[in-house]
Amino acid sequence: MTNAVVMTGYGPPDVLKWAQVPLPEPGRGQIRIKVKAAGISPTDLALRAGYLKDAIPLPPNAVLGYEAAGTVDAVGSGVTGTSIGDAVAALLFSIGGYAEYAIASIWTRKPDTVSWIDAAALPASAEAAIGVLRQLDVKSGETLLLFGGGGSVGIIATQLAVAQGIKVISAVGEHDETLARELRATPVRYGPGVAGRVRAQGAVDAVFDAAGQGVLADAIALAGGPKRVITLSDPAAADFGVTLSQPTPDRAPGALDETIVLLADGGLRLRAHKTMPMQQAAQAHSQLESGNVHERIILTLN
């Protein structure tokens, strides 16, 4: 047996409990990681609260967490080029990161210059950023409106889009306006009246909703329809005819390999973060939902 943060049901953060679970075994093409750090994503919060239970149903006693970093502890059949003891960052499409041990099918070697914390903060955000940019098919010279530009996904998406010659209008709170400018985006203040402030910056070709906070009506109006509007976590997506983009192995293949090189070379900036012990996952979710925390929280294990 081992330990993990188990989701005892849908509901508030206190449904997350540190409990014993069976030690998972890697299957063909998989590795088992002894976890040192795991990231918390906005999708984790939406899953736990039950907002996405129709789109992404979870099994009983699910263990959340789409990303983790640690050392390889066991290797399944068919795995080549990876050995026990290797340091890796992993993308967990079957979730399971809030645990002492996690099973991964997609991983990349962690460079020595990348910390365990940064390695755990990268995978899900990078995959989502690259995946949605590809789905929107935004091209050089077009204008992308990004809701949640100060979030972990938004920061990466901004940098990747700007590097491709895309103009980014970033809808952010006051505390993230300076950050948006540093990332070479045009900030507009998020909140009531945001559509008018965006229109003042010119036409919008596509909208990336990385916030999931009820912006779809404005997004559709600004994009001229739902076709080029994608949200990561707004449960009302289907009501608006908008794509709810879900993490799947074919959404952004190669995203982790591509971005960890940028991170190691200092060419990619991540959202500011703090750490909390993994056993305090419930408290971490509470802090994030309070709206008073403007950093990512990375769960750590000694």
Side-chain angles (χ1 to χ4, degrees):
M1 298 293 283
T2 182
N3 294 292
V5 178
V6 172
M7 197 176 102
T8 58
Y10 294 108
D14 62 12
V15 301
L16 300 176
K17 306 291 185 184
W18 184 249
Q20 282 199 326
V21 297
L23 181 67
E25 295 295 336
R28 181 171 180 78
Q30 296 180 323
I31 60 172
R32 184 172 68 209
I33 299 168
K34 184 174 175 59
V35 176
K36 290 185 176 291
I40 299 177
S41 73
T43 305
D44 292 346
L45 305 184
L47 285 170
R48 189 217 71 239
Y51 298 145
L52 300 176
K53 61 184 176 183
D54 292 332
I56 310 175
L58 297 178
N61 297 318
V63 177
L64 297 174
Y66 282 104
E67 54 195 347
T71 55
V72 179
D73 172 73
V75 175
S77 62
V79 173
T80 59
T82 299
S83 303
I84 292 173
D86 286 351
V88 297
L91 186 58
L92 310 172
F93 286 117
S94 298
I95 57 179
Y98 299 8
E100 291 178 325
Y101 293 90
I103 299 296
S105 298
I106 295 178
W107 65 91
T108 194
R109 186 74 63 90
K110 183 189 80 67
D112 291 340
T113 54
V114 176
S115 70
W116 291 113
I117 306 304
D118 283 351
L122 177 70
S125 299
E127 189 276 338
I130 290 178
V132 173
L133 288 176
R134 288 178 183 172
Q135 289 173 323
L136 286 170
D137 193 27
V138 195
K139 300 188 183 304
S140 178
E142 290 191 316
T143 297
L144 173 71
L145 171 59
L146 181 58
F147 286 101
S152 55
V153 175
I155 286 173
I156 294 175
T158 297
Q159 293 169 87
L160 297 176
V162 167
Q164 295 171 33
I166 297 162
K167 177 184 176 180
V168 178
I169 299 174
S170 187
V172 292
E174 181 180 3
H175 56 277
D176 285 325
E177 288 184 354
T178 298
L179 169 63
R181 291 191 183 94
E182 290 173 353
L183 299 178
R184 295 190 291 158
T186 300
V188 296
R189 185 70 60 86
Y190 180 77
V194 65
R197 292 188 288 275
V198 171
R199 287 192 181 94
Q201 300 297 329
V204 168
D205 296 294
V207 181
F208 184 164
D209 171 27
Q213 298 293 321
V215 299
L216 296 184
D218 282 339
I220 290 168
L222 290 163
K227 184 176 179 181
R228 295 189 78 190
V229 177
I230 291 180
T231 182
L232 286 178
S233 59
D234 194 320
D239 297 336
F240 285 92
V242 166
T243 297
L244 172 66
S245 186
Q246 300 178 26
T248 59
D250 61 353
R251 181 168 70 171
L256 187 49
D257 293 332
E258 175 184 337
T259 51
I260 203 158
V261 171
L262 292 172
L263 187 61
D265 293 343
L268 187 69
R269 178 173 174 178
L270 300 179
R271 187 182 184 191
H273 47 249
K274 68 175 186 175
T275 63
M276 291 180 67
M278 188 172 288
Q279 295 87 341
Q280 296 178 16
Q283 294 95 312
H285 274 227
S286 293
Q287 289 188 24
L288 290 168
E289 289 185 339
S290 72
N292 298 320
V293 176
H294 301 301
E295 303 169 299
R296 280 208 71 183
I297 297 180
I298 306 298
L299 302 173
T300 59
L301 282 168
N302 293 326

